[in-house]
Amino acid sequence: MSSDQDHLKETDTEKRFEFKKEEKSAFEAEKGLTEETIRVISEDKDEPEWMLERRLRALEQYKEMPMPDGWPGAPDLSEVDVDEIVPYIRPDIETRGGVDDWNDLPEEIQDTFDKLGIPEAEKNALSGVGAQYESEIVYQNMQERWEEKGVIFCDMDKAVQEHEDILKEYFMTKAVPPSDNKFAALHGAIWSGGSFVYVPEDTTVDMPVQAYFRMNSDGMGQFEHTLIIAEENSEVHYIEGCSAPKYSEFNLHSGGVEVFVKENAHVQYSTVQNWSKNTYNLNTKRAICEADGTMEWVSGSMGSKATMLYPSTVLKGPGATDNHITIAFAGEGQDIDTGAKVYHNAPETKSTIESKSISKDGGRTNYRGLVHIADGAEDSSTSVECDALMFDNESTSDTMPYMEIQESKVDVAHEATVGKIGDEDVFYLQSRGLDDDDAKQMIVAGFIEPITEELPIEYAVELNRLIELEMEGSLG
């Protein structure tokens, strides 16, 4: 690597995320969204005709669909102008589809991921790593022992070329069709990069795989697509990290995630998103879970100007289970609108949603959730718990749960609490030797513990540190 192995230890968290690099690209599309732009992107990727056709259909759907700004309490998206976004930037590296050795990357890209700690994490705690810079994967590697068992972990552009039959069947046809919402259609038209994960039957990947997505350029959009297929009796943990430095122009992140959990399989999808405060984070994520399968979503959202993120799961088969654990942090000028959606479409299905939110300095958080239990999904159960913590009287925390219950023989529970950090709690900790800031940070750490305990220790520590920086107002 271009820096020594101690570099990560010498670089504090703030510097690791806030640094910027000089823009260098091999190809950059014109601003805006037109048919010509999509054709240029598809040609640059040497895609098959069927993928171009899907992109163009998604473009037509995008043009016809309204912005999601009519919802009660929806974030203000008036600044989002796709015609001012650069939708595709191919980084300047020699190997399309990424390399499998960090030393083969240009020095400035190496240095970026060094600072973010990705190579060190790969060495210590991961089965495989993918790293995206701007619009394309620049590094991709999987431990040989998993490749020998038939596990596939590659970038989506490679998957389109080498696993065409699987992609034709699953890519934006079942879980997240472009018709789902306007930004899903936008994603379908100009997606680029992302990860494809395939785990064969009876295979347990006992160390997480990770993908990291970095936006470096001013005024760009990032539209990576993640597709995970876990066959019967398989198990995998996928971790996603995201970040971008702050610029004067707005950036747009509109990723797409599709997860297919087959019978008795288990998938955990964990994400820590730390976008800059000029970024609009508008994603669509959905899992389809078959009989006795288990889907787990663990997510932390912070840093963006506005976020609209509601991972959803369709419990398709009897005995399927879905668990959501989320945390959102909003500071000055931020509107973080997150939640979860669960569709109980079969008997004896189970879901739990645990949402935590923190707001300060006039920031706003909102839980927006939907639980649907279909007629015939008897003996199903759901539990929703929303807890909000506010630092001051200027901040806002809302809860908007929707329950659509069409079956009488079910168990449904919902609980919501909103509170401020109590002076007596701070005073008690100060009496034990902590100063005011440390006392508040300890209270927050305890508040988010249900989430951090679900993450590998390296990521739990990082999430706690990011929250601390947000509390200090240090992140851009």
Side-chain angles (χ1 to χ4, degrees), residues 352-356 367 383-387 413-417:
T352 61
I353 299 172
E354 185 174 2
S355 172
K356 302 275 189 179
Y367 168 81
S383 174
V384 181
E385 181 180 344
C386 302
D387 298 318
H414 177 263
E415 178 184 349
T417 62

Side-chain angles (χ1 to χ4, degrees), residues 75-218:
D76 180 8
L77 302 181
S78 59
E79 188 183 14
V80 178
D81 183 356
V82 174
D83 289 334
E84 293 300 317
I85 283 289
V86 177
Y88 177 68
I89 299 176
R90 172 158 55 86
D92 188 12
I93 64 172
E94 293 183 3
T95 306
R96 295 299 298 270
V99 300
D100 59 6
D101 187 330
W102 292 106
N103 293 311
D104 292 335
L105 288 172
E107 185 175 348
E108 68 273 9
I109 297 181
Q110 282 188 52
D111 187 55
T112 294
F113 291 105
D114 271 345
K115 284 185 168 69
L116 293 168
I118 308 306
E120 192 72 11
E122 177 185 23
K123 184 173 66 177
N124 294 333
L126 301 170
S127 293
V129 166
Q132 180 158 331
Y133 193 82
E134 312 295 31
S135 297
E136 290 201 350
I137 293 290
V138 295
Y139 174 85
Q140 190 86 41
N141 194 33
M142 186 79 183
Q143 288 185 8
E144 187 175 337
R145 64 186 176 118
W146 300 117
E147 292 180 343
E148 291 173 351
K149 292 183 177 182
V151 177
I152 301 171
F153 180 45
C154 67
D155 68 273
M156 281 295 294
D157 293 312
K158 182 177 180 180
V160 170
Q161 303 290 344
E162 298 187 3
H163 307 285
E164 189 171 8
D165 290 343
I166 298 177
L167 268 290
K168 277 186 177 180
E169 178 180 357
Y170 288 96
F171 180 83
M172 300 194 77
T173 58
K174 302 176 181 181
V176 182
S179 59
D180 189 84
N181 63 75
K182 190 174 184 69
F183 286 99
L186 173 66
H187 175 87
I190 53 177
W191 74 272
S192 182
S195 300
F196 174 57
V197 180
Y198 177 85
V199 186
E201 186 175 337
D202 299 320
T203 302
T204 296
V205 183
D206 56 14
M207 296 173 66
V209 296
Q210 183 195 26
Y212 199 96
F213 303 102
R214 176 73 175 181
M215 274 196 291
N216 183 67
S217 296
D218 194 5

Side-chain angles (χ1 to χ4, degrees), residues 293-452:
T294 299
M295 180 66 205
E296 296 186 74
W297 300 94
V298 181
S299 60
S301 299
M302 64 196 76
S304 62
K305 183 170 185 177
T307 287
M308 298 179 74
L309 176 60
Y310 323 101
S312 64
T313 300
V314 179
L315 299 175
K316 183 180 177 182
T321 299
D322 176 65
N323 299 315
H324 285 259
I325 303 176
T326 68
I327 183 170
F329 189 105
E332 181 180 1
Q334 293 179 282
D335 193 340
I336 310 300
D337 201 280
T338 59
K341 298 179 182 180
V342 186
Y343 300 86
H344 293 255
N345 290 350
E348 299 179 4
T349 51
K350 180 181 179 181
S351 67
T352 61
I353 299 172
E354 185 174 2
S355 172
K356 302 275 189 179
S357 66
I358 304 167
S359 53
K360 69 183 290 284
D361 298 333
R364 175 182 181 265
T365 60
N366 180 43
Y367 168 81
R368 190 185 303 271
L370 168 66
V371 175
H372 174 89
I373 302 182
D375 182 24
E378 58 182 23
D379 298 322
S380 294
S381 64
T382 184
S383 174
V384 181
E385 181 180 344
C386 302
D387 298 318
L389 187 63
M390 294 184 293
F391 274 68
D392 48 62
N393 293 327
E394 291 73 37
S395 299
T396 304
S397 181
D398 297 319
T399 303
M400 299 180 182
Y402 295 87
M403 299 281 189
E404 298 176 349
I405 313 301
Q406 300 175 351
E407 171 61 50
S408 60
K409 195 179 177 183
V410 295
D411 186 6
V412 177
H414 177 263
E415 178 184 349
T417 62
V418 179
K420 290 178 62 179
I421 290 184
D423 292 338
E424 64 278 8
D425 296 328
V426 174
F427 177 77
Y428 173 80
L429 291 172
Q430 286 178 323
S431 72
R432 295 298 186 268
L434 277 68
D435 62 24
D436 183 73
D437 288 341
D438 287 342
K440 290 178 179 178
Q441 288 173 4
M442 179 171 286
I443 292 170
V444 170
F447 181 72
I448 67 172
E449 185 177 3
I451 293 172
T452 56

